[in-house]
Amino acid sequence: MTVTVALIDALRARLQAALPNVVCEYFPEDPKNYRLNHPVGALLISYRGSVFEPTQDEFYIAQPRSIRLSITVVLKQLNGRGGAIEMLDQVRSAVIGWKPPHCNKKLFSEREKFLGTIAGLWQYALDVGTETIQVEDVDTEDGPLLHNTSFEEQD
């Protein structure tokens, strides 16, 4: 499993555990034909991309990587208890400050925006980010095998 897929899966699992009254899914490949099958609503998780900084070493590639994700709230109700506005607050509480696997920074919020209504479903997006280090996958050369070791104590 890759770092990006592991991150998305971990975020999905965290949201589903924290907010069991909605379904947490991957963002649909065909959003125009997405159909909400849950009676309350859904949280749709998508990967928005990454920004890479220059490498920090001359001998191997190790680049800071800023990862961007989006959580789309799709609910039948807008205001009040159980509405999209309350759900946004709950989503933020569940993920902001959480440190995902393979990342060296906690999740932070970037922006939140109203996406509109489609077929009576209220949609908001919460964009979040984190950081990790992208390190090259190095092919090691085969060398002599280590057969014996000895330890000497030095004062």
Side-chain angles (χ1 to χ4, degrees), residues 27-135:
F27 196 85
E29 293 180 22
D30 184 10
K32 291 180 183 176
N33 292 319
Y34 174 74
R35 180 179 171 170
L36 177 64
N37 294 318
H38 192 274
V40 175
L43 302 176
L44 308 175
I45 300 157
S46 60
Y47 172 69
R48 291 181 33 235
S50 294
V51 175
F52 297 88
E53 299 294 327
T55 187
Q56 296 181 346
D57 195 289
E58 293 180 24
F59 300 105
Y60 68 95
I61 303 299
Q63 296 175 277
R65 176 185 176 200
S66 297
I67 300 171
R68 303 299 182 247
L69 302 161
S70 188
I71 304 162
T72 303
V73 174
V74 180
L75 257 69
K76 294 180 178 182
Q77 181 179 331
L78 175 62
N79 294 305
R81 286 219 170 277
I85 305 299
E86 181 184 49
M87 182 58 65
L88 280 168
D89 288 340
Q90 293 173 348
V91 169
R92 265 187 265 105
S93 293
V95 300
I96 302 307
W98 168 66
K99 188 174 177 187
H102 310 292
C103 294
N104 55 4
K105 242 188 188 178
K106 296 177 180 181
L107 225 56
F108 55 88
S109 54
E110 292 186 324
R111 70 179 179 168
E112 202 171 81
K113 65 181 178 177
F114 176 63
L115 300 176
T117 57
I118 298 174
L121 299 174
W122 296 92
Q123 298 183 32
Y124 282 85
L126 170 62
D127 295 340
V128 297
T130 186
E131 291 183 9
T132 189
I133 300 290
Q134 181 71 44
V135 179

